[in-house]
Amino acid sequence: MMASSYNAKEEDGHVAVAGGGTIKNKKPDNTAFKQQRLPAWQPILTAGTVLPAFFVIGLIFIPIGIGLYVTSNNIKEFEIDYTGTDISSPCFNCSQSFSWNSTRPCICVLPFTLEQPFESKVYMYYGLSNFYQNHRRYVKSRDDSQLNGDINSLKNPTKECEPYARNEKVPIAPCGAIANSMFNDTLDLYYIDPNGTRIQIPLTKTGIAWQSDMNVKFRNPGSNTNLTAAFQGTSKPINWHKPVYELDTNPQNNGFINEDFIVWMRTAALPTFRKLYRIIDKKNHMTPTLPRGNYTLEVTYNYPVRSFEGKKRVILSTISWMGGKNPFLGIAYITVGSVCFFLGVVLLIIHHKYGSRNNSADIPN
Amino acid sequence: MAFFGMDCGPRKKKERELERTLRANDREYNLSFRYATNAIKTSKYNVFTFLPLNLFEQFQRIANAYFLILLLLQLLPAISSLSWFTTVVPLVLVLSVTAAKDAMDDINRHRSDNQVNNRKVTVLIGGELRSEKWMNVQVGDIIKLENNQFVTADLLLLSSSEPLNLVYIETAELDGETNLKVKQALTVTGDLGDDIHSLAAFSGKVCCEPPNNRLDRFTGTLTNAGQKYSLDNHRVLLRGCTLRNTDWCFGLVLFGGPETKLMKNCGKTTFKRTSVDRLMNILVLCIFGFLAGMCTILAFGNGIWEQRWGLDFTVFLPREDGVNAPFSAFLTFWSYVIILNTVVPISLYVSMEVIRLGNSFYIDWDRKMYHTQSDTPAEARTTTLNEELGQIKYIFSDKTGTLTQNIMTFNKCSINGKTYGDVIDYTGQRLEINEYTETVDWSFNHLADQSFSFHDHSLVEAVKLDSPEVHSFFRLLSLCHTVMAEEKREGELLYQAQSPDEGALVTAARNFGFVFRSRTPESVTIVEMGKQRTYDLLAILDFNNVRKRMSVIVRSPEGKLYLYCKGADTIIYERLHPSCNKLMDLTTEHLNEYAGEGLRTLVLAHKELGEEYFNEWQQRHHEASTTLEDREEKLDLLYEEIERDLVLLGATAIEDKLQDGVPQTIEQLARADIKIWVLTGDKQETAENIGYSCNMLREEMDGIFSISANNPEDVRKELRNALSTMKPDAEEEENIFMPSTTLGGKSKVVHDEEVTGEYGLVINGHSLAYALESSMELLFLRAACLCRTVICCRVTPLQKAQVVELVKKYKQAVTLAIGDGANDVSMIKAAHIGVGISGQEGMQAVLSSDYSFAQFRFLERLLLVHGRWSYLRMCKFLRYFFYKNFTFTFVHFWYAFFCGFSAQTVYDEWFITLYNLVYTALPVLGMSLFDQDVNDIWSFQHPKLYIPGQLNQYFSKTAFFKCALHSVYSSLVLFFIPYLAVCDTVRNDGKDIADYQSFALLTQTCLVVTVCIQLGLDMTYWTAVNQLFVWGSLAMYFIVTFAMYSTGMYLAAPASFAFIGTARNSLNQPNVWLTIVLTSILCVLPVVAYRFLLIQLCPTINDKVMFHVRQTKAVPPTPKRRARIRLTSSRRSGYAFSHAQGYGDLVTSNRFLRRPAITPSNAFTPLGRITGFSPMGRSAGYSPTEHAQNSKSKCVQATSLQKYTDF
């Protein structure tokens, strides 16, 4: 083993000359950076680091996974499909006889039973499947300036909204395919008392949209006080039954800042999605929000999905610190943790059998 | 060299000039031809043309053009899947960076142009001398040059201060030769002298060839006063030369500025690309194909989707007018081309350039490649070839000036059976000689050359003790040679030796008290131990290759006749008197010892001649030398006759001084599996000698083949012989090609053959010429490549290049050529990498090289450290870069299946814009600028670390394919884990989380974290800068994300920043973070396991060394300075004569002209080169003059410089 280095004597900087000065020469500076000698941490994959890492990851992931799984399992969720494709479904007639122009709403009633009481706050969602809210042309078919209350955009919607920008020269507000296709079924929930009376369950319709959307992203043109005047000279979206300023009677929940509208406008990432519809608040500590028993769901069937084989669902769910019911994360954590642990064992064995042999082997020169 | 404006830019073409006519001192007449003035312009742009020209040039690059096309595609609303800014921002950035660099370069060119153009020269205008700027000099002007000035333009020499109208010029800038050349003016113009009036009245008319680039040719005529004189190359001074030893001269400007031969000569240097570049080109093509494939699949998907579902979904999402499913598929294809364009990222090329530039700077900055003596740092003249330095398989090296210093030192001698030169301590132990060893004091001899050093005091003692043998020995050395002496001042002798060996011997004799002082054709004057004596020189029996000896016959002042002879031992021994047998044995022992140390030996012998015999011999000699037939043979016979019964005096040993550390460097490089071929113009013996002393040839080698046949059949036979000795079962030529796998019909590639045992091959120029013929080149290549060492001697510059080309053609290997002289330029240009040795002879080799440094030994550091690191870094960079971009892009592919193939992006458009430029640019750049697996000292300890580079192991098609697979896995994880984690779930306040914006944020965060961790895994050298870059980039990602998703940005531009609030609302969710952790762990886990397994089961050399370094945790053993390798060899006959024949004639003929004494001038000495004239620039190696010597071409005014004027 040898290395040649002839430079020891050249290492010492400038050439001294008589007179005590130094000749300015072309010798490069002796800095750690220029000489590539910067101090550095040089980690390498050794048995001492890799194996413990595997075991530690395994040991951390498995408990987390179990925790997540248990949490997810404790969440109560009830789902009911009311698309009405099946002939036995109460909504079959409504789905068959759908027409955009019908003035009389079609109502269907779906009874269901909750086997277990929903103790805490219950969130009511509507779910759609096979609905491509994430299609490129769909996603961009909106005018954020208009939704932000910009008067100019109100009158001149962006090209992106085509073909829902104008209705015979009159600008549409809100424009675009997203707004036009807003979900407009009405869902009501009734509790059937053990003695047979139907009690309507109060549904809160506010607090369902993101705060940032409510406060910043969506704003009505002009002031909230007189929306009719503010939307003067615009047309309602083609599919809508009523104009945007009549979505609700509460002026804080009307026009562009209607929360149902805002929720819809937050397009989904995947073709199957659920959106928050209403919240069922807990009345008091004593009684569960939704006690065990029979319920009916009354649907005002306005929204056509049959043509594209879509499905409509209503979901009632409680939530936990990690959100809604989704066992995936828990299972994934448990699996990854176990695999890690197992790999750790396998690698340990391999390391014992072969590792030492190879590492002690001579380095060829 | 920008000094002369040799960086040539494009020049405008004008009408072809067929002949140039001009009249001296007649500007009006000359102006009518509109010849170029002497102003040069190498810059490309001016303020106004910069932008359009530079943009035009930049868009000629395929990558930039590709992005321009993408940009145009994005402007079509139907297919624009991304906003315009995603392409414009990077493109503008890249264009402006490149433009800035080009502008800097051009400013520098402007500056150097200005500097050159504004130099002052004295011009004769209107009858008086005026100082003018160079740029104002015009064709037909008469200018006056003074000593050490640069020649302003191509001039016709009119007159000079020297006798016979000679001028001496140095052409180092032009062709790299430092020796002076002579030019001579016509007598008719020379008579003008420096008489201003007659010069101003001179109105000669010159007709000459049009501007061209032939440096060695000029034809034209001068018409003056009705007389016509022909002009040739001897009358012309070319721009780029420097006037030396000439007080002044006048010249007539023939060609100016861009039309000078210098400027015409700086043609385009071939643009070199690295093998990684070439591989990249293929890969980029593959990627384009792959991109098209992906887009086609997705377009088909879109067509099917539109047909099946889209048709029904028109309730909510009507199609645009006239778009049906097939047309939509077509549009989608282009939309996906835009989205997936990141597989060929624009920042790749920019980053590669930055990395190479950075690594080039490291070379410039390396103190260990700085040579203190010549104050020369290493220089990376090309900044685009760095990683190629880590893949060198073949090195072609020049000998003289590269391996050796071209300095001969008198090292040892054997006189009368006693050896001198070793330093022996009192115990009788031989001591190592180093720079601290005490040297002999020459104070007893006031004529001694103080720079000569000798360490053995006993020899001086022997001289002082008047030992007759020692005196004869040195007397011989001072008499028997062809050196010429020059004494500028009393006691200041300067020897002009034709070969450095002779110079060394004569200098040794001088120092030991036998000072050669002067010679005339008939006599030699020496100072013997203080007494001046003149010997009559009766005959010089000159050296030639067959005789391998030279003799002189002199008559001493006492009247005795002596023959002094020196030559190769084998030759002299045959001619010794039998009485010397005993001494012969002793001397042979010493000779073996010297030869074993790699010294070049000569044996010295003398004899006294009888008067009558000599007279009779001289008579016959005279007859023989005047006959016309078979003169050579007759003379040879006569010489043979007189040179016998010699009395042995002793032997000399001369060290052809190697450059520092050459044997060690060569050994290190050989251990790194690099094959070194020496291509030298020297003769075979010298080259072999150096081969031994460099440790390239060794006594214990299994065989050394010497090919020196003179006809093709013999060469073929010898080569076949060599091949079958090395490899008896050698395959037939048809089977040695590698199966052609490369695209297109490239030439066949010979695979590497293995051979057991070490062999060497020495081939001379004649045989090489045959071996390089197409019928034999394969045979030669196979034989040569099986040998550890190949030495080609007596090769011409062209052959040097041919050898390099041969290896390049048939071997899939990277070649490097290293040399220092003008004769190496061709091979430096031909090889993949050219290295020039700077700071010695001319600049030509350096000017055409890619890297330059002062010492051969720096090559080791350049390759084993800088090259290896550069290659490692570049490969790591490419692997990581492809990984990160493929991963980024493939997620879109998977998402396509869930968004109706609508070319919807997964990420926010701003993220797409900034991903390559901001979030991931710096960490990978940091890695590729700082990474090192083991430090330089360990790299030297284990030269085998270099081998993976030669085998392309770090980045190849396989590695690329692995990268792509890895990316596929990562992208699957990166898409499906977030997908499954958020589908059908909600936030912990019941609100939406599976919306598009949150999902985009989640995926892109996972991606950034994952690629950062992956980078951490790849990086082995975490400096503070790397830490800063990695953590800084992550922090930057979050900061930028929060900033862009903030209320303020949204209100400023609602359409561009629609992601308002997403970061705030998503990143406070525990399951978002849990998903990020899960995704990134899942992405890197298999990688860690796989790499760990590899290290355990089949560790690479790198792994082993790194583990070793880690284990010892110690500083590597401080490398010891190795003792000079002692050889125990019985090799003989490394005799010292790098002579060319014919010098004897020159010395005895009356034709040499004494050069006028140099007028001491304190003028500047450019580039620290010696102004003194020393013709011992090169040994007989490549000297185009040899042929002239043999043919004895007569020059009208032959001078001692004759050899060089015939250039």
Side-chain angles (χ1 to χ4, degrees), chain B residues 747-877:
Chain B
S747 65
K748 300 174 188 173
V749 173
V750 176
H751 62 68
D752 285 323
E753 291 173 283
E754 290 298 322
V755 69
T756 49
E758 292 182 0
Y759 296 93
L761 181 77
V762 180
I763 184 164
N764 70 14
H766 276 298
S767 309
L768 191 63
Y770 297 120
L772 288 175
E773 278 171 13
S774 59
S775 60
M776 223 185 295
E777 56 180 19
L778 261 179
L779 182 66
F780 168 61
L781 184 77
R782 290 178 69 193
C785 287
L786 283 176
C787 296
R788 272 186 68 125
T789 304
V790 178
I791 296 177
C792 307
C793 8
R794 280 253 180 261
V795 290
T796 63
L798 183 67
Q799 283 178 327
K800 286 187 180 190
Q802 283 174 336
V803 172
V804 175
E805 292 289 356
L806 177 70
V807 174
K808 265 174 82 179
K809 184 173 161 195
Y810 287 111
K811 287 277 177 182
Q812 218 163 25
V814 183
T815 57
L816 177 145
I818 179 168
D820 70 319
N823 56 342
D824 305 316
V825 169
S826 60
M827 76 170 176
I828 283 175
K829 282 190 172 164
H832 290 106
I833 297 227
V835 177
I837 300 283
S838 53
Q840 305 203 351
E841 281 192 33
M843 294 291 288
Q844 198 74 351
V846 172
L847 286 181
S848 49
S849 68
D850 305 306
Y851 297 89
S852 73
F853 42 69
Q855 291 273 305
F856 179 78
R857 68 184 141 97
F858 296 151
L859 189 62
E860 179 187 6
R861 195 170 170 84
L862 184 72
L863 299 188
L864 297 190
V865 177
H866 288 286
R868 202 173 72 78
W869 282 347
S870 294
Y871 175 66
L872 187 78
R873 288 166 182 170
M874 183 57 77
C875 293
K876 269 194 177 180
F877 166 79

Side-chain angles (χ1 to χ4, degrees), chain B residues 594-820:
Chain B
Y594 300 157
E597 289 170 29
L599 302 176
R600 298 157 64 138
T601 57
L602 277 181
V603 169
L604 312 183
H606 71 155
K607 82 174 192 183
E608 203 178 329
L609 294 174
E611 190 75 39
E612 300 92 66
Y613 171 71
F614 176 73
N615 284 339
E616 183 254 342
W617 184 87
Q618 199 175 25
Q619 188 61 38
R620 284 190 286 145
H621 179 241
H622 183 75
E623 280 166 20
S625 54
T626 47
T627 55
L628 297 170
E629 284 167 39
D630 305 331
R631 187 170 58 199
E632 301 285 321
E633 288 80 43
K634 283 181 183 164
L635 282 177
D636 272 351
L637 277 174
L638 275 173
Y639 292 168
E640 198 77 21
E641 182 199 311
I642 200 163
E643 287 170 324
R644 62 194 158 93
D645 292 336
L646 302 173
V647 179
L648 182 61
L649 273 174
T652 60
I654 284 178
E655 185 182 357
D656 186 359
K657 271 218 156 165
L658 292 179
Q659 304 238 0
D660 278 346
V662 165
Q664 291 86 344
T665 305
I666 285 179
E667 191 187 332
Q668 280 283 83
L669 294 176
R671 280 164 65 195
D673 256 13
I674 301 174
K675 298 199 169 166
I676 303 177
W677 295 23
V678 174
L679 309 178
T680 174
D682 251 330
K683 46 201 301 187
Q684 191 161 344
E685 289 82 0
T686 327
E688 262 178 54
N689 225 2
I690 289 301
Y692 278 102
S693 53
C694 295
N695 223 14
M696 294 174 68
L697 295 175
R698 277 192 307 274
E699 196 64 16
E700 63 270 20
M701 276 187 156
D702 297 288
I704 294 168
F705 309 102
S706 174
I707 315 255
S708 50
N710 278 323
N711 59 63
E713 287 72 38
D714 290 352
V715 173
R716 185 186 296 274
K717 215 165 70 191
E718 286 180 33
L719 283 174
R720 277 206 188 288
N721 217 354
L723 189 61
S724 58
T725 316
M726 284 186 280
K727 216 177 151 104
D729 55 343
E731 295 165 62
E732 281 309 305
E733 277 191 10
E734 295 81 56
N735 306 332
I736 59 170
F737 294 110
M738 295 231 267
S740 58
T741 51
T742 41
L743 303 162
K746 277 174 87 182
S747 65
K748 300 174 188 173
V749 173
V750 176
H751 62 68
D752 285 323
E753 291 173 283
E754 290 298 322
V755 69
T756 49
E758 292 182 0
Y759 296 93
L761 181 77
V762 180
I763 184 164
N764 70 14
H766 276 298
S767 309
L768 191 63
Y770 297 120
L772 288 175
E773 278 171 13
S774 59
S775 60
M776 223 185 295
E777 56 180 19
L778 261 179
L779 182 66
F780 168 61
L781 184 77
R782 290 178 69 193
C785 287
L786 283 176
C787 296
R788 272 186 68 125
T789 304
V790 178
I791 296 177
C792 307
C793 8
R794 280 253 180 261
V795 290
T796 63
L798 183 67
Q799 283 178 327
K800 286 187 180 190
Q802 283 174 336
V803 172
V804 175
E805 292 289 356
L806 177 70
V807 174
K808 265 174 82 179
K809 184 173 161 195
Y810 287 111
K811 287 277 177 182
Q812 218 163 25
V814 183
T815 57
L816 177 145
I818 179 168
D820 70 319

Side-chain angles (χ1 to χ4, degrees), chain A residues 1-7 10-11 13 15 25-30 33-36 38-47 50-51 54 57 61 64 68 100 123 125 130-132 134-140 144-145 148 163-164 177 181 207-212 216-217 219 266-271 274-276 303-304 307-308 319-326 328-329 332-333 336 340 343 347 350-351 354-355 358-359 362-365, chain B residues 78 80-81 305-306 309 312-313 315-320 335 362 364-368 370 372 375 377 661 664 671 857 860 866 869 873 895 898-900 902-904 930 932-933 940-944 977 979-981 983-992 994-999 1020-1023 1047 1050-1051 1058 1060-1062 1065 1070-1071 1074 1077-1078 1081-1082 1085 1088 1091-1093 1095-1097 1099 1101 1105-1108 1110 1119-1122:
Chain A
M1 286 241 264
M2 65 135 268
S4 70
S5 160
Y6 280 80
N7 309 302
E10 291 175 17
E11 276 291 317
V15 180
N25 60 16
K26 295 185 199 150
K27 184 161 191 161
D29 301 332
N30 190 12
F33 167 62
K34 289 191 171 182
Q35 302 307 318
Q36 305 198 59
L38 286 178
W41 174 53
Q42 287 185 275
I44 58 171
L45 295 178
T46 58
V50 172
L51 297 179
F54 272 83
I57 290 175
F61 269 39
I64 293 180
L68 285 172
W100 285 109
Y123 293 79
Y125 300 90
N130 214 11
F131 191 101
Y132 283 84
N134 59 1
H135 195 282
R136 178 169 58 90
R137 282 186 284 122
Y138 187 87
V139 169
K140 70 176 185 184
D144 278 314
S145 302
N148 197 31
Y164 298 114
S181 60
I208 56 175
W210 284 17
Q211 285 304 307
S212 55
V216 185
K217 198 171 181 183
R219 242 185 282 163
R266 180 154 284 279
T267 54
L270 299 160
R274 59 174 72 176
K275 285 188 180 292
L276 187 53
Y303 203 69
S307 63
F308 53 90
I319 55 169
S320 70
W321 60 270
M322 55 158 284
K325 191 182 184 84
N326 185 358
F328 169 77
L329 264 187
Y333 262 86
V336 171
C340 252
L343 262 180
L347 292 181
I350 291 174
H351 172 65
Y354 304 98
N358 278 310
N359 279 327
D362 282 336
I363 303 160
N365 252 323
Chain B
S80 165
S81 43
W305 188 88
E306 287 289 347
W309 292 282
D312 306 321
F313 197 59
V315 188
F316 292 124
L317 184 62
R319 285 185 186 153
E320 279 155 49
S335 299
Y362 284 134
D364 294 346
W365 287 335
D366 196 333
R367 285 164 74 87
K368 289 179 180 163
Y370 167 80
T372 314
D375 190 24
Q664 291 86 344
R671 280 164 65 195
R857 68 184 141 97
E860 179 187 6
H866 288 286
W869 282 347
R873 288 166 182 170
Y895 189 55
F898 296 87
C899 68
S902 60
Q904 174 66 353
F930 295 106
Q932 38 184 283
D933 48 356
F940 284 140
Q941 290 273 355
H942 300 286
K944 286 267 184 292
I977 298 289
Y979 166 66
L980 291 168
C983 74
D984 279 347
T985 192
V986 291
R987 287 149 52 90
N988 59 8
D989 57 3
K991 295 172 191 170
D992 237 352
D995 65 296
Y996 170 70
Q997 296 187 341
S998 304
F999 183 74
T1020 50
Y1021 198 77
W1022 289 76
T1023 64
T1047 310
Y1050 176 74
L1051 293 180
I1060 170 177
T1062 313
N1065 281 301
N1071 59 352
L1074 284 170
V1077 171
L1078 178 71
I1081 292 279
L1082 206 53
L1085 255 188
V1088 175
R1091 292 197 183 165
F1092 182 71
L1093 266 183
I1095 292 176
Q1096 296 298 312
L1097 297 178
I1101 172 92
V1105 174
M1106 279 160 80
F1107 187 77
H1108 182 65
R1110 160 66 61 96
K1120 279 183 226 83
R1121 183 163 177 171
R1122 276 252 294 219

Side-chain angles (χ1 to χ4, degrees), chain A residues 37-226:
Chain A
R37 279 188 275 106
L38 286 178
W41 174 53
Q42 287 185 275
I44 58 171
L45 295 178
T46 58
T49 51
V50 172
L51 297 179
F54 272 83
F55 289 124
V56 167
I57 290 175
L59 289 178
I60 293 176
F61 269 39
I62 293 173
I64 293 180
I66 292 171
L68 285 172
Y69 188 70
V70 169
T71 314
S72 172
N73 265 4
N74 283 341
I75 292 171
K76 304 228 165 51
E77 195 179 89
F78 180 82
E79 192 176 313
I80 179 166
D81 186 320
Y82 72 95
T83 323
T85 41
D86 197 28
I87 206 149
S88 62
S89 165
C91 290
F92 180 69
N93 282 337
C94 286
S95 75
Q96 294 299 308
S97 64
F98 174 79
S99 114
W100 285 109
N101 302 328
S102 74
T103 41
R104 252 190 54 240
C106 175
I107 296 177
C108 51
V109 178
L110 295 100
F112 64 95
T113 310
L114 291 181
E115 302 291 338
Q116 283 176 329
F118 282 33
E119 297 287 345
S120 52
K121 218 173 174 178
V122 175
Y123 293 79
M124 186 175 175
Y125 300 90
Y126 58 91
L128 295 174
S129 21
N130 214 11
F131 191 101
Y132 283 84
Q133 257 206 323
N134 59 1
H135 195 282
R136 178 169 58 90
R137 282 186 284 122
Y138 187 87
V139 169
K140 70 176 185 184
S141 184
R142 64 192 287 161
D143 187 342
D144 278 314
S145 302
Q146 190 191 48
L147 297 173
N148 197 31
D150 186 73
I151 304 286
N152 195 25
S153 300
L154 188 72
K155 301 289 195 250
N156 296 300
T158 167
K159 278 209 316 285
E160 308 281 354
C161 282
E162 294 290 352
Y164 298 114
R166 283 166 194 280
N167 189 2
E168 283 158 6
K169 302 283 168 61
V170 184
I172 295 177
C175 73
I178 310 178
N180 187 53
S181 60
M182 183 178 155
F183 181 77
N184 58 358
D185 283 359
T186 314
L187 308 166
D188 287 307
L189 202 59
Y190 296 91
Y191 176 56
I192 312 289
D193 229 354
N195 48 29
T197 40
R198 268 176 25 139
I199 306 165
Q200 180 159 22
I201 294 171
L203 304 174
T204 314
K205 56 162 85 170
T206 52
I208 56 175
W210 284 17
Q211 285 304 307
S212 55
D213 286 356
M214 270 299 284
N215 300 334
V216 185
K217 198 171 181 183
F218 291 82
R219 242 185 282 163
N220 280 322
S223 63
N224 279 349
T225 46
N226 193 352

